Amino acid sequence: MTTQRAERTPLKRWFLDAEEADPGGYYERESEARAQQHVQPWWRVMCLTGVDYFSTLGYQPGIAALAAGALSPVATLVLVLITLFGALPMYRRVAAESPHGDGSLSMLERLLSYWPSKILVLCLIGFVATGFVITITLSAADASAHLIENPYLKSSLTGHQVGVTLTLLVLLAGIFLKGFKEAIGIAVVLVVAYLGLSSVVLVRGILEIGDHPTAFSDWITAMTSAHSAPFGIIGASLLVFPALALGLSGFETGVVVMPLVKGDPTDTAEKPEGRIRNARKLLTTAALVMSVLLIGSSLVTTLLIPAAAFQPGGEANGRALAYLAHDLLGEGFGTVYDISTIGILWFAGASAMAGLLNIVPRYLPRYGMAPDWARSTRPLVLVLSFIAAVVTLAFRANVDEQAGAYATGVLALMTSAAIAVFLTELRRGHRAAAAFFAVVSAIFVYTITITIEQRPEGLVIALVFIALIVVISVWSRIVRSTELRVQRVVYDDSAQAILDDAALGPQPLRFIANKINAGDRDEYRAKSLDVRMHNHLNARQGAIFLEVEISDASDFATTVHVGSAVVGGHYILRATGPSVPNVLAAVLLDVRDRVSKPPHIYFEWSEKAPGQNVLRFLLAGEGDIPPLTHEIIRRAEPDADRRPQVHVGG
């Protein structure tokens, strides 16, 4: 099928260029990653996911201290146990089920079909948007906090938290508008530097605890004064666990970047066993490293930092490890640590931006639920940056106030992943595995329920995103409903033979549109007589019947497969696709390119009401077929002389 395309100015081609690889090595599809030689050893890709995952150390200890007080290390231990024995096994399973970078969303999409699948994905994308947008804004806000609290900058930047955060967001948008290259190389440097410097701070903190023997006993006293029994401490830690859940943020990122993971030479698209194995190494190593850092950072910050310093406005608020770096190792080392923290936090925002730039084009345009320009990077960068700026202003660039919204987005995605893995194992009859993941699902359902109850702003933001996505999706689906929507038309051998034989006869080729009922000789004979009478065709003018079977009307763009049949001497082409008028238009345009004259097609008028037909077309792919087929052809082919002709009689 060939159609003309409007000329674009150089600026518009640059701005709307969806042919470019998405942003510089992040979240690429498998074909792009391999074509551009972006596949990397798993440990380097782990650094790419680590800018999101490991950067939470910048604010996690402070948020944990605010939420749990003296119980912070025990509550963090609960988080680590759930990480290693809940989230990690779950995402190792997701890696095997979705090795091409679709993440856990694709598992749920496959478990359902038709409109329920699309609606569920739309809602989950709302939570994904919440998690990623808050990652951008929270990371920028925490980077600002590190800048402002640095002793060399504090006097000039104090009171300008919102302005500094917005400046960082503008710089982030500018980088993506230009094009972000060498992302993995930068991530490796940042992660190695940040983890190395953080380890120095933790070791120095542990030595400081050793020099103050009463620090540990004072901590024990602080815990037991509020909870004398061990079970009371454990119970209280379980209750505050949801507030610490943002420390689970890196797993979904780990499976989304799987196309970048180098596998074995023997890997195939159907069985990329080497990539799956290496992705599991990535997930396991990242979880183990983060677990050690979470426990260590929580312990040293709780024991060494006064409780008042964690409070809003305190010197350790949002920057507990940086506070210790300055306090224990001097202003010079502390400034170097600030620089590494700001760098990894800023890059975590870049990772989140790139995640959204991958997820939106991967799902919404394919569903017909976003404008076609949503496939392009730069317009999305501007839209997402504007949203991030609005969120920053709404939360006044406050790290603590955004923690609940961040946890809600992360937990919603992890809860959906747990349920997807549970249902997959249950469907396959793996009872033991299904029971285990049912427990994991219950933990995450509990966690997100408590999080929403305590910090409802995350749900409010997610619902706003969901409402915007649904409204834009419905509007886009309506506006784009008369696009051709078919990527290509494929004929089986018998259908191709019918077309080849017809092309040798008189032109133009004539088709009779038919909705199959009994499918017997009498049906086709009666239909042929009616169409010929209403459209003044004589018996010598041959015609081929053309029928459409709807596969899934909720799909938008697809490949049309055409088979054939012969009933009572009547030749029939039977196409399969998501919408009758779109498939008919696609087949006619494809036939047009194979013969000397544009073909003609003949219809009978619909007897249903116009409003009913509109809904049938949008929801079920049917409706008032003749005018819709004509409109789709008109939009797809600007040259009237090359358009297949549509006739309606009766």
Side-chain angles (χ1 to χ4, degrees):
M1 294 174 290
T2 59
T3 57
Q4 297 179 4
R5 184 177 179 178
E7 290 295 324
R8 290 176 174 173
T9 64
L11 178 61
K12 186 177 286 187
R13 283 199 301 272
W14 173 82
F15 187 63
L16 296 176
D17 194 352
E19 302 302 321
E20 292 185 7
D22 44 3
Y26 272 104
Y27 298 91
E28 292 176 313
R29 294 178 177 83
E30 181 177 2
S31 58
E32 292 171 347
R34 291 193 175 280
Q36 300 180 58
Q37 298 181 340
H38 286 164
V39 290
Q40 299 281 347
W42 66 266
W43 62 270
R44 287 175 62 87
V45 183
M46 183 191 72
C47 291
L48 185 62
T49 68
V51 296
D52 178 13
Y53 195 19
F54 301 141
S55 68
T56 58
L57 288 170
Y59 44 83
Q60 169 85 1
I63 291 174
L66 277 177
L71 290 177
S72 175
V74 180
T76 301
L77 178 61
V78 173
L79 170 67
V80 166
L81 292 175
I82 292 175
T83 296
L84 296 178
F85 299 102
L88 179 58
M90 177 178 77
Y91 273 97
R92 285 172 61 90
R93 194 73 184 85
V94 173
E97 291 294 325
S98 185
H100 302 293
D102 295 325
S104 60
L105 287 183
S106 65
M107 292 181 65
L108 283 172
E109 186 184 27
R110 291 195 299 269
L111 287 169
L112 299 174
S113 61
Y114 205 64
W115 287 110
S117 170
K118 309 299 186 292
I119 293 171
L120 176 62
V121 170
L122 288 180
C123 293
L124 288 175
I125 287 176
F127 285 102
V128 170
T130 301
F132 278 128
V133 168
I134 298 297
T135 298
I136 295 170
T137 59
L138 188 150
S139 297
D142 199 42
S144 300
H146 283 77
L147 277 169
I148 292 169
E149 291 296 330
N150 184 275
Y152 302 117
L153 299 173
K154 189 169 185 176
S155 60
S156 57
L157 294 181
T158 297
H160 300 287
Q161 175 88 10
V162 173
V164 173
T165 303
L166 291 175
T167 300
L168 291 175
L169 293 177
V170 169
L171 291 174
L172 182 66
I175 290 292
F176 275 92
L177 288 173
K178 183 180 181 298
F180 212 15
K181 305 299 179 183
E182 303 301 332
I184 291 183
I186 297 171
V188 170
V189 173
L190 285 174
V191 167
V192 170
Y194 182 68
L195 293 185
L197 293 171
S198 295
S199 298
V200 171
V201 175
L202 293 179
V203 171
R204 181 65 184 86
I206 292 170
L207 293 175
E208 184 69 15
I209 293 172
D211 292 338
H212 295 78
T214 60
F216 193 81
S217 60
D218 290 344
W219 169 58
I220 297 295
T221 301
M223 279 199 303
T224 55
S225 63
H227 307 281
S228 57
F231 287 109
I233 294 174
I234 296 172
S237 300
L238 290 172
L239 290 175
V240 299
F241 160 70
L244 280 63
L246 63 168
L248 295 166
S249 64
F251 284 101
E252 188 72 23
T253 306
V255 293
V256 171
V257 299
M258 279 186 66
L260 301 180
V261 177
K262 188 174 183 179
D264 296 335
T266 56
D267 281 2
T268 64
E270 295 76 21
K271 291 185 176 182
E273 294 178 358
R275 182 196 302 161
I276 293 171
R277 183 180 64 255
N278 289 335
R280 286 175 165 175
K281 290 180 184 177
L282 180 160
L283 295 168
T284 303
T285 304
L288 290 172
V289 170
M290 189 61 172
S291 296
V292 172
L293 293 173
L294 282 171
I295 293 176
S297 63
S298 177
L299 187 64
V300 299
T301 55
T302 301
L303 269 64
L304 296 177
I305 298 177
F310 290 113
Q311 300 302 314
E315 293 183 353
N317 182 253
R319 54 184 297 278
L321 286 179
Y323 174 92
L324 287 181
H326 285 272
D327 186 54
L328 300 177
L329 294 161
E331 305 297 0
F333 182 90
T335 298
V336 172
Y337 187 76
D338 283 342
I339 292 171
S340 72
T341 306
I342 292 165
I344 199 169
L345 285 168
W346 180 80
F347 219 69
S351 174
M353 175 74 79
L356 285 170
L357 294 175
N358 167 72
I359 289 172
V360 171
R362 182 165 293 199
Y363 288 98
L364 296 187
R366 177 161 59 89
Y367 294 168
M369 292 178 174
D372 203 42
W373 57 256
R375 296 181 185 275
S376 303
T377 295
R378 294 182 178 96
L380 274 180
V381 168
L382 293 183
V383 172
L384 296 172
S385 299
F386 174 77
I387 293 172
V390 171
V391 172
T392 295
L393 292 171
F395 284 103
R396 302 180 300 280
N398 187 291
V399 174
D400 299 325
E401 290 186 8
Q402 297 179 71
Y406 182 36
T408 299
V410 170
L411 287 171
L413 203 55
M414 298 193 78
T415 302
S416 68
I419 293 172
V421 172
F422 160 65
L423 292 176
T424 299
E425 297 291 359
L426 187 65
R427 179 172 291 184
R428 293 177 179 172
H430 302 158
R431 294 184 180 179
F436 173 77
F437 288 114
V439 174
V440 174
S441 300
I443 292 173
F444 282 110
V445 168
Y446 158 78
T447 305
I448 192 172
T449 302
I450 297 299
T451 300
I452 291 172
E453 181 181 350
Q454 295 177 347
R455 304 289 295 269
E457 66 271 15
L459 178 62
V460 172
I461 294 174
L463 291 176
V464 170
F465 277 123
I466 291 170
L468 287 173
I469 289 169
V470 170
V471 169
I472 293 172
S473 297
V474 172
W475 169 80
S476 176
R477 184 85 180 200
I478 293 171
V479 170
R480 300 184 62 194
S481 60
T482 53
E483 289 181 11
L484 191 59
R485 295 174 47 178
V486 173
Q487 297 167 335
R488 63 191 183 112
V489 180
V490 178
Y491 303 91
D492 68 14
D493 292 341
S494 59
Q496 186 65 57
I498 289 175
L499 282 179
D500 291 342
D501 184 61
L504 299 175
Q507 299 291 313
L509 292 186
R510 303 181 190 276
F511 293 93
I512 296 175
N514 181 56
K515 181 176 181 179
I516 188 170
N517 291 305
D520 56 15
R521 178 197 300 263
D522 292 339
E523 176 183 339
Y524 292 105
R525 180 175 178 276
K527 183 76 171 184
S528 178
L529 291 174
D530 285 346
V531 167
R532 290 179 183 280
M533 178 181 67
H534 293 146
N535 293 279
H536 310 292
L537 292 176
N538 59 53
R540 294 189 300 275
Q541 293 174 302
I544 301 171
F545 282 90
L546 182 54
E547 300 171 345
V548 176
E549 178 184 353
I550 296 176
S551 52
D552 184 346
S554 66
D555 286 340
F556 192 77
T558 187
T559 296
V560 169
H561 295 274
V562 183
S564 68
V566 180
V567 179
H570 300 283
Y571 290 95
I572 307 157
L573 295 183
R574 290 174 174 161
T576 301
S579 170
V580 174
N582 301 81
V583 171
L584 290 175
V587 173
L588 292 169
L589 288 166
D590 185 79
V591 170
R592 184 274 315 271
D593 294 337
R594 297 168 179 265
V595 296
S596 58
K597 292 182 180 181
H600 291 219
I601 188 167
Y602 299 88
F603 293 92
E604 294 179 299
W605 285 113
S606 171
E607 296 294 329
K608 292 183 171 61
Q612 184 180 357
N613 275 325
V614 170
L615 290 176
R616 290 176 66 233
F617 173 55
L618 294 175
L619 297 177
E622 296 179 338
D624 196 2
I625 307 300
L628 288 168
T629 304
H630 179 271
E631 176 60 16
I632 294 165
I633 291 172
R634 187 190 68 80
R635 290 189 59 184
E637 178 50 74
D639 186 352
D641 293 334
R642 300 192 69 239
R643 290 177 195 154
Q645 298 299 301
V646 175
H647 305 270
V648 190

